Amino acid sequence: MKTEIAKTDSPNEWSRAVARALDLLDAGEVVALPTETVYGLAADALSTAAVAKIFETKERPRFDPLIVHLPERNWLPRIAKSSKLVETLIAKFWPGPLTVLLPKTELIPEIVTAGLATVAVRMSAHPIFARVARNFGRPLAAPSANRFGRISPTRAEHVLEELDGRIPFIVDGGATEHGVESTIVRPEGVGLTILRKGPITREQLEEFAEVRSETATGSRPDAPGQVASHYAPHTPLRIVEDISSVEVPHGQRYGALLWSSAPFSETFVESRRLSTTNDLREAAANLFRELRELDRAGLDCIVAEATPETGLGAAIMDRLRRATHHK
Ligand code: TXA
Ligand code: MG
């Protein structure tokens, strides 16, 4: 299969790309689309056959459920059971990078939720994704557009690296805004548990609910995809507090992923900086691209400088820790 990439720089290109994506989705195909977090691989969430293509394309195990993206808020009661707290959260954070786990209705096929009684739901704020979803008029299942266990794509070129020849179409919407996947929460009465740290921070959620976070170790039945080995680059990765203390074994090539103000050093053959202004949002947006590029540089080891763990730093450190695990 030839994979086509559509630019969206002019209004004409934009409309043509959206129309082509809609044609393919109508025909039961998968399409890669930008969201505000990472690129997603979308298909009709109500069609078992279309959703099966997502699993095959990504080589994703069938026990790992998908996120359902709504075309409109008023779709929610058709696919899931809501609550007072959920209404508050979605009024505040939708459309946007917050995914909520809710008891599902019959309408959602089993394949989407991997047989679980809950469905993960969000509504994307990206203009391209939102337009496609709205015009499609039905929910879209969309995991990140990478092969299973790999780093999520934040640019159209990354999607091509992951899925060239396996999907018909990628809409190129440029670099994604947040750069890390949506925050996933499971509401429980007046409280909630954070299952995946993301752009909506713990601090933001604490305004509305009592918040607990679960740190993933191994595969757990309540967040099947949150296995520790996710986001693995091919190159070994280490996290350090003090980058200047790193010693490189003789003859080895090390790369550095600096957080903000540490000086570049000749110890490393490649150095990248996540932010030049101590800005965790900028750092998150750059994280997966820099990791991908360092991973391609033929290094023996990537050394990542720890970021603060407040706000978005919690999501960044979560992804870095997962990147240190090797299968
Ligand atoms: O930002 C995002 O959320 C992106 C964009 C494309 O929307 N999507 C994304 O999907 O990251 P994915 O499939 O790569 O990650 C979804 C995570 C997986 O770890 C999956 O196991 C978990 O959500 N998940 C989905 N449905 C679930 C459910 N019913 N119960 C527990 N975990 C669930
Ligand atoms: Mg993923």
Side-chain angles (χ1 to χ4, degrees):
M1 182 187 298
K2 171 128 180 55
T3 303
E4 188 193 332
I5 302 192
K7 293 235 166 289
T8 54
D9 298 330
S10 71
N12 265 345
E13 285 174 337
W14 201 96
S15 308
R16 246 185 286 132
V18 166
R20 175 94 179 110
L22 284 163
D23 283 345
L24 287 162
L25 290 169
D26 276 331
E29 273 301 331
V30 297
V31 169
L33 300 172
T35 82
E36 70 276 50
T37 55
V38 300
Y39 276 72
L41 185 64
D44 184 348
L46 304 186
S47 157
T48 297
V51 172
K53 278 192 190 166
I54 295 179
F55 284 94
E56 281 154 28
T57 306
K58 282 190 57 133
E59 297 174 27
R60 181 176 175 123
R62 290 280 181 103
F63 62 73
D64 191 1
L66 305 177
I67 296 177
V68 171
H69 300 65
L70 300 185
E72 312 260 5
R73 273 196 182 80
N74 62 19
W75 258 89
L76 187 62
R78 293 205 240 171
I79 69 153
K81 238 200 263 139
S82 189
S83 69
K84 192 114 204 199
L85 172 59
V86 172
E87 296 300 329
T88 309
L89 291 175
I90 69 183
K92 173 79 187 171
F93 296 111
W94 279 10
L98 182 72
T99 297
V100 187
L101 281 197
L102 297 172
K104 82 181 216 31
T105 66
E106 290 284 300
L107 193 60
I108 296 295
E110 294 245 305
I111 186 172
V112 173
T113 60
L116 297 176
T118 53
V119 59
V121 195
R122 86 173 186 102
M123 203 176 140
S124 173
H126 194 287
I128 293 173
F129 197 103
R131 173 63 69 83
V132 171
R134 213 173 320 117
N135 290 8
F136 188 60
R138 284 197 298 284
L140 292 170
S144 51
N146 49 279
R147 294 206 197 181
F148 184 69
R150 296 258 307 133
I151 302 167
S152 293
T154 57
R155 293 173 180 245
E157 307 90 86
H158 301 167
V159 180
L160 197 66
E161 260 171 52
E162 294 286 328
L163 302 174
D164 193 11
R166 293 175 164 239
I167 57 173
F169 196 56
I170 303 169
V171 179
D172 184 351
T176 61
E177 180 191 347
H178 297 292
V180 290
E181 305 85 350
S182 62
T183 305
I184 304 182
V185 297
R186 185 180 55 216
E188 288 143 329
V190 295
L192 52 85
T193 304
I194 299 177
L195 297 181
R196 181 172 71 184
K197 294 168 184 163
I200 304 296
T201 63
R202 181 189 186 101
E203 292 85 341
Q204 281 175 289
L205 292 166
E206 276 169 347
E207 275 188 47
F208 304 94
E210 244 168 70
V211 179
R212 294 193 297 138
S213 21
E214 245 169 47
T215 356
T217 43
S219 63
R220 281 192 333 273
D222 54 351
Q226 294 298 93
V227 287
S229 65
H230 247 70
Y231 311 99
H234 299 295
T235 316
L237 184 139
R238 250 171 58 201
I239 304 169
V240 298
E241 293 292 330
D242 176 11
I243 201 102
S244 66
S245 70
V246 174
E247 284 178 28
V248 177
H250 184 72
Q252 297 229 331
R253 293 163 43 86
Y254 275 34
L257 185 61
L258 305 176
W259 140 233
S260 186
S261 52
F264 285 125
S265 150
E266 284 176 8
T267 310
F268 302 102
V269 295
E270 282 275 346
S271 293
R272 303 299 175 96
R273 200 183 285 292
L274 290 176
S275 169
T276 48
T277 54
N278 259 298
D279 179 356
L280 287 165
R281 295 202 155 263
E282 183 190 0
N286 288 329
L287 177 68
F288 288 157
R289 175 171 49 88
E290 299 295 12
L291 266 183
R292 249 173 214 281
E293 288 178 10
L294 286 171
D295 199 22
R296 271 202 304 257
L299 302 166
D300 295 296
C301 185
I302 300 167
V303 182
E305 184 187 13
T307 69
E309 297 231 29
T310 49
L312 254 178
I316 296 173
M317 286 300 285
D318 169 71
R319 302 311 189 271
L320 283 175
R321 289 198 180 99
R322 289 171 198 281
T324 64
H325 285 82
H326 267 257
K327 283 176 223 150

